[in-house]
Amino acid sequence: MGKPLIAGNWKMHGTAESARNLATQLGHHRFQEDAAEIVVFPPLVHLSVVRDVLADSSVSIGAQNVSRFPNGAYTGEVSAEMLLDQGCKYVLVGHSERRAILGESDQIVAEKFRAAQNAGLIPILCVGESLQQRQQDATFDVVAKQISAVIDLVGLEKVCQSVIAYEPVWAIGTGETASPEQAQDVHTVIRAQLGEAGRSTTLLYGGSVNKSNAAELFKQPDINGGLVGGASLEADEFLKIAQLVEA
Ligand code: PEP
């Protein structure tokens, strides 16, 4: 298993100044580099500000979105190579907000995953079921289908080289978290789907993770860290979550 990973998704929040302030507070913290990988995902326009502030720290940066096209006449899009050029190491693909609000299909998510990986970025593939799907006992099928769409396009080995974040949609930004057992159950199914090649693939849990619930989640055998939204906007809270995996 690789190092645990704690990722902070800042979503569409903040100004350049607030991004600089948040990054500065994180940059002051001396993370135990061997204990965990810490990565933040600022809004695209603040990437260079955050990159410069964190240049001498062990905190990595990533992007919240990437174009599925390599370059060309795609007004408003940002390519994987551009993100790499900005210093990004990771990129989120398939976040439920992009699937649900911006209409990204499994096919588009898979193409974004491929574009990111081809350019040398590490995709964090987000998957998860809606409340209705959970109530219909469709959770495992939904998650397996979202992962299969990417496997079908790039192959199993490539998916195993990425990071997968299980994020139940009903837990994102709601304050409601999957229980450690519920999360572990889905992670077990994901691990089984990846088979032998995925034994050391990093699997994250996301969905209202905070400093009070993170410890129990991170104790689960197949939860290798967290994708943190709201709680990553407060440096103290995010640092407390990160320190749980350093312990
Ligand atoms: C997320 O943005 O991926 C997320 C899990 O958000 P929150 O922690 O706010 O639920």
Side-chain angles (χ1 to χ4, degrees):
M1 200 64 58
K3 298 193 265 197
L5 196 157
I6 303 295
N9 176 13
W10 296 359
K11 308 198 191 197
M12 198 174 73
H13 291 296
T15 59
E17 194 186 344
S18 67
R20 184 181 292 107
N21 288 341
L22 182 50
T24 302
Q25 292 177 72
L26 299 180
H28 283 154
H29 181 77
R30 291 294 119 213
F31 291 99
Q32 295 171 32
E33 288 181 35
D34 296 340
E37 165 100 318
I38 311 294
V39 49
V40 293
F41 295 81
L44 279 176
V45 289
H46 303 329
L47 272 176
S48 60
V49 168
V50 173
R51 175 201 58 204
D52 291 349
V53 171
L54 294 174
D56 295 326
S57 83
S58 58
V59 181
S60 304
I61 60 166
Q64 299 172 21
N65 186 27
V66 62
S67 174
R68 62 191 157 122
F69 305 110
N71 55 54
Y74 300 103
T75 302
E77 290 288 271
V78 175
S79 75
E81 278 193 10
M82 292 171 186
L83 297 176
L84 208 60
D85 187 47
Q86 286 296 304
C88 288
K89 181 171 175 187
Y90 293 91
V91 63
L92 302 180
V93 294
H95 192 284
S96 69
E97 287 152 14
R98 297 206 62 86
R99 290 180 190 264
I101 304 169
L102 294 146
E104 290 188 5
S105 63
D106 282 348
Q107 178 65 23
I108 289 175
V109 171
E111 289 176 20
K112 289 186 170 204
F113 182 105
R114 178 174 64 182
Q117 219 172 29
N118 283 348
L121 293 166
I122 303 172
I124 299 185
L125 171 64
C126 304
V127 296
E129 81 288 3
S130 66
L131 183 59
Q132 194 187 22
Q133 289 165 332
R134 175 160 283 269
Q135 286 165 343
Q136 291 167 345
D137 275 336
T139 299
F140 297 155
D141 289 345
V142 168
V143 168
K145 184 170 164 284
Q146 289 171 335
I147 296 173
S148 288
V150 186
I151 294 175
D152 289 348
L153 190 72
V154 304
L156 178 64
E157 292 285 332
K158 294 270 174 125
V159 172
C160 292
Q161 288 158 15
S162 73
V163 174
I164 298 179
Y166 166 57
E167 300 204 295
V169 178
W170 48 271
I172 297 181
T174 59
E176 198 172 333
T177 318
S179 69
E181 295 73 26
Q182 284 175 320
Q184 172 59 32
D185 284 350
V186 179
H187 282 226
T188 304
V189 169
I190 295 173
R191 190 77 77 198
Q193 184 178 10
L194 300 180
E196 194 56 31
R199 277 184 56 178
S200 55
T201 301
T202 302
L203 304 184
L204 308 182
Y205 168 78
S208 297
V209 173
N210 58 42
K211 63 177 190 292
S212 310
N213 59 28
E216 287 306 312
L217 288 159
F218 296 165
K219 270 188 206 153
Q220 301 305 307
D222 287 300
I223 298 183
N224 313 122
L227 177 51
V228 185
S232 71
L233 293 169
E234 293 289 332
D236 284 352
E237 174 95 14
F238 187 62
L239 287 171
K240 286 207 171 87
I241 295 168
Q243 280 159 2
L244 288 170
V245 291
E246 291 187 313

